[in-house]
Amino acid sequence: MRDQGKVLGLMGVGMLLLTGCMGSTPPEATVKVSGTVSVARAGEAVAGATVSVDGTKVSTTTDANGHYSVDVPVSRHTLVIHKDGYASTRVENFTTTAPQTLDEILQRSFDPDLPTTPPTVTLSRQTLDAKGKVTSEVPLKDGDTIDVTGDKPLDLNVGVKTTTASPDVNGVYGGIASLEVDAGSSGFLNAGRTRSLNLTPSGNDTFTFTASDFAAFKGTVDLHVSMYDFNGNRTHVIRHLKLNTVANAGALVAPTKVAPTAITFADTATYGALGKNPQTATLLKRWVQTHDSAALKALSSTARSTTGRLTPQAAPTGTVMWVDVNFEYTGTAAPRTFELDRSLDGGKTYTKVLSATPAKAMVDPKDASAGYVLRDNSSQLTPGVKTTYRVRAVSDAGTKDSDEKSVTPLGRYSVELLSPGQADTGVDTAPIFRWRTSGASDVENLLLLVEDRTQAEGNSDQWLSDVSGMNSATYDFDGSALTKYLQPFHAYDWQMAAVTNSKDNTAFSVGADFFNLFGVTANPIERGPVNEFVTGGY
């Protein structure tokens, strides 16, 4: 009987254990989501931001470089990013079928007393009449099909309804929509598939994409819509769309002469950052090799004739950074798209940066012989880290890859103006200008510019001199100044345009360029290293 009792007892324990096992819920599968959080368009990485999976207790914190990684339950599709003193960001409807990279933006709060709740955003698919008036509207859902195969393919009109917290004091500020990759709050080179809406949103707005915008894709494409309120709060909504596109089965050849050029720019005073001049890398190389005045003029003139903005990334504090990848394509049949792939481990593994049709990638839209260029301005770029690229030609018949080429971006290069100092008076009419630089690479290229800002009309350039290799210069030492001496008791300012480059001319870092002599921006910089001074008597 005693043994029988033991057996019954063991059976009871076993049943309890079995019952417990049957009643427990196995842990939900997760997928790794990682990326970088950076400030606005031209800002640095945001360290110490909390990245949370909405509806769970799962969260992590960005490191000193703005990087994060979090395991997201596959049933969850929303992240919330916040930090004290900053607005908040909400990312909705990212996929959890495979590991994801989400590089997101977290702006500083415009007013700490305003709400830090991201706006509510809903998307719809609209039909417009000839006058642009909405005649019908249905929700835009995952899996919706975009058919651009007919004789008259229809545009995709995306309705965006945005509601902010406390709308009486915190309205809708702006937004952007893009295909394939999130373009942030501004466009970028090859961003023909980007639509922006700044300073004029009503809260009921429409973005339109045409058949040519979808031409680079086949099968599926993601639509990204990001909306901002006045306090900088941001909601990034993703829709996964299906495509019916025109067949492209042309025979391909591999892209050739791939040449990546890394550019780091330290003067980030312009709101929205830098221009999308497709010739910047080529013209910069030409000038640093020759220091020819015609090459310098070409840099500036092409920048001013080019519109557009550069997207942000987590570059070094106070800088922006990107890589322009130039290449050629000699095939008789144009591919559906060119893909730019990037590797940070010496070519062992590649990540697709973006896709662009040949028409969108042309350096000169009127001349294919000028070649093609694709731009990588990802937050994954890091100064001093070798970055490898390849360009892939894609059609329905297959793919052809270029050779691999690498570049190592430079860190921040800066210029400090020493004398004459800011607001100095009694300055000699033939002053000695002194400066110092930091963060230089192999070669330094310096221009000194003196401006007569009191001239009411005409050219205010008093003196422009190439002072490369120097750290001081006496006014008009080269005989190129407008006058032999500055006017007495007169106000002037002086500044430097400075760029350093690697000896192989593949990486550049612009330290200062207040008047856009190097042509990096589409518009003059709003502020920079400039000293104002007043001369004394003779």
Side-chain angles (χ1 to χ4, degrees):
M1 292 291 294
R2 190 177 301 170
D3 292 340
Q4 185 179 4
K6 288 182 179 180
V7 171
L8 290 172
L10 289 172
M11 290 178 62
V13 171
M15 289 297 294
L16 287 172
L17 290 173
L18 182 60
T19 302
C21 290
M22 292 177 63
S24 65
T25 302
E28 184 177 1
T30 61
V31 66
K32 188 171 293 296
V33 175
S34 58
T36 306
V37 179
S38 60
V39 175
R41 277 307 98 191
E44 65 272 15
V46 181
T50 299
V51 181
S52 304
V53 181
D54 192 43
T56 75
K57 296 181 180 180
V58 179
S59 67
T60 189
T61 304
T62 57
D63 64 16
N65 296 313
H67 293 293
Y68 72 91
S69 180
V70 62
D71 292 323
V72 178
V74 294
S75 64
R76 302 291 176 171
H77 307 278
T78 302
L79 291 182
V80 178
I81 307 171
H82 64 90
K83 181 181 178 179
D84 289 346
Y86 288 71
S88 295
T89 283
R90 182 179 176 90
V91 188
E92 298 181 358
N93 200 42
F94 58 87
T95 182
T96 54
T97 57
Q100 297 293 310
T101 298
L102 296 174
D103 295 328
E104 298 297 335
I105 300 165
L106 195 67
Q107 295 188 335
R108 293 183 178 89
S109 294
F110 176 75
D111 184 341
D113 294 327
L114 290 177
T116 56
T117 303
T120 300
V121 177
T122 56
L123 304 182
S124 62
R125 189 170 181 175
Q126 298 177 337
T127 301
L128 308 180
D129 62 18
K131 296 182 179 180
K133 183 179 179 180
V134 178
T135 58
S136 65
E137 189 171 16
V138 296
L140 182 64
K141 305 183 298 296
D142 278 355
D144 279 2
T145 298
I146 312 300
D147 191 337
V148 293
T149 59
D151 294 335
K152 295 182 179 180
L154 297 177
D155 296 339
L156 173 63
N157 303 302
V158 182
V160 184
K161 183 175 182 179
T162 309
T163 305
T164 65
S166 303
D168 52 333
V169 294
N170 183 39
V172 183
Y173 179 76
I176 188 165
S178 61
L179 299 178
E180 185 183 38
V181 294
D182 175 35
S185 64
S186 57
F188 59 97
L189 189 66
N190 313 127
R193 301 178 306 280
T194 301
R195 302 291 179 265
S196 60
L197 179 71
N198 293 312
L199 303 178
T200 57
S202 66
N204 285 283
D205 305 290
T206 300
F207 296 99
T208 298
F209 292 93
T210 65
S212 64
D213 296 323
F214 292 100
F217 311 106
K218 180 183 179 182
T220 61
V221 68
D222 285 349
L223 168 71
H224 299 262
V225 176
S226 294
M227 298 299 296
Y228 294 78
D229 65 21
F230 278 111
N231 203 32
N233 298 301
R234 169 178 176 265
T235 297
H236 170 197
V237 181
I238 305 168
R239 289 291 182 269
H240 314 291
L241 305 178
K242 294 181 179 179
L243 293 178
N244 289 333
T245 51
V246 177
N248 180 322
L252 299 176
V253 299
T256 60
K257 299 184 180 180
V258 174
T261 304
I263 299 177
T264 305
F265 194 79
D267 197 340
T268 59
T270 50
Y271 177 76
L274 309 179
K276 66 172 187 177
N277 181 2
Q279 300 185 56
T280 296
T282 300
L283 294 174
L284 262 179
K285 289 180 181 180
R286 183 183 305 168
W287 182 73
V288 300
Q289 290 171 341
T290 65
H291 281 221
D292 179 68
S293 59
L296 186 66
K297 183 178 180 180
L299 271 168
S300 181
S301 62
T302 55
R304 286 181 170 84
S305 66
T306 306
T307 59
R309 298 285 189 176
L310 182 71
T311 57
Q313 62 279 289
T317 301
T319 69
V320 292
M321 183 190 307
W322 71 95
V323 176
D324 281 348
V325 181
N326 290 80
F327 62 98
E328 295 183 5
Y329 187 78
T330 57
T332 55
R336 174 186 295 280
T337 185
F338 291 120
E339 290 182 0
L340 179 62
D341 298 331
R342 176 189 60 240
S343 173
L344 298 175
D345 57 9
K348 295 178 182 177
T349 57
Y350 276 93
T351 300
K352 184 171 74 171
V353 178
L354 80 161
S355 303
T357 61
K360 300 294 185 184
M362 293 173 66
V363 171
D364 183 346
K366 298 179 181 179
D367 182 10
S369 66
Y372 301 87
V373 60
L374 298 170
R375 174 169 291 174
D376 178 11
N377 49 7
S378 165
S379 57
Q380 306 299 322
L381 297 173
T382 305
V385 175
K386 182 179 178 180
T387 308
T388 304
Y389 291 94
R390 71 183 181 197
V391 177
R392 170 171 288 178
V394 180
S395 79
D396 298 347
T399 63
K400 290 286 186 179
D401 291 345
S402 71
D403 291 339
E404 300 174 342
K405 294 294 181 180
S406 300
V407 66
T408 302
L410 300 179
R412 183 173 185 175
Y413 175 56
S414 59
V415 181
E416 181 183 2
L417 307 184
L418 301 179
S419 64
Q422 171 61 21
D424 278 359
T425 59
V427 174
D428 193 273
T429 55
I432 299 175
F433 298 93
R434 294 182 173 87
W435 61 89
R436 63 176 166 230
T437 63
S438 60
S441 184
D442 301 319
V443 182
E444 289 188 271
N445 309 274
L446 303 170
L447 298 173
L448 191 158
L449 181 64
V450 178
E451 292 281 308
D452 182 350
R453 289 299 188 86
T454 63
Q455 292 286 348
E457 59 185 49
N459 189 356
S460 63
D461 292 346
Q462 182 72 26
W463 185 40
L464 174 63
S465 180
D466 190 333
V467 292
S468 301
M470 305 166 63
N471 55 26
S472 67
T474 301
Y475 174 75
D476 197 33
F477 77 92
D478 57 0
S480 66
L482 194 63
T483 59
K484 186 174 180 58
Y485 296 96
L486 298 176
Q487 296 183 49
F489 309 110
H490 199 78
Y492 296 90
D493 63 32
W494 74 284
Q495 60 256 210
M496 306 290 295
V499 58
T500 186
N501 59 278
S502 59
K503 59 185 178 183
D504 62 0
N505 293 328
T506 62
F508 297 80
S509 184
V510 181
D513 191 12
F514 186 88
F515 278 97
N516 200 21
L517 295 178
F518 297 138
V520 176
T521 68
N523 300 289
I525 300 296
E526 294 177 357
R527 65 180 186 274
V530 177
N531 281 358
E532 300 172 353
F533 65 93
V534 178
T535 56
Y538 285 117

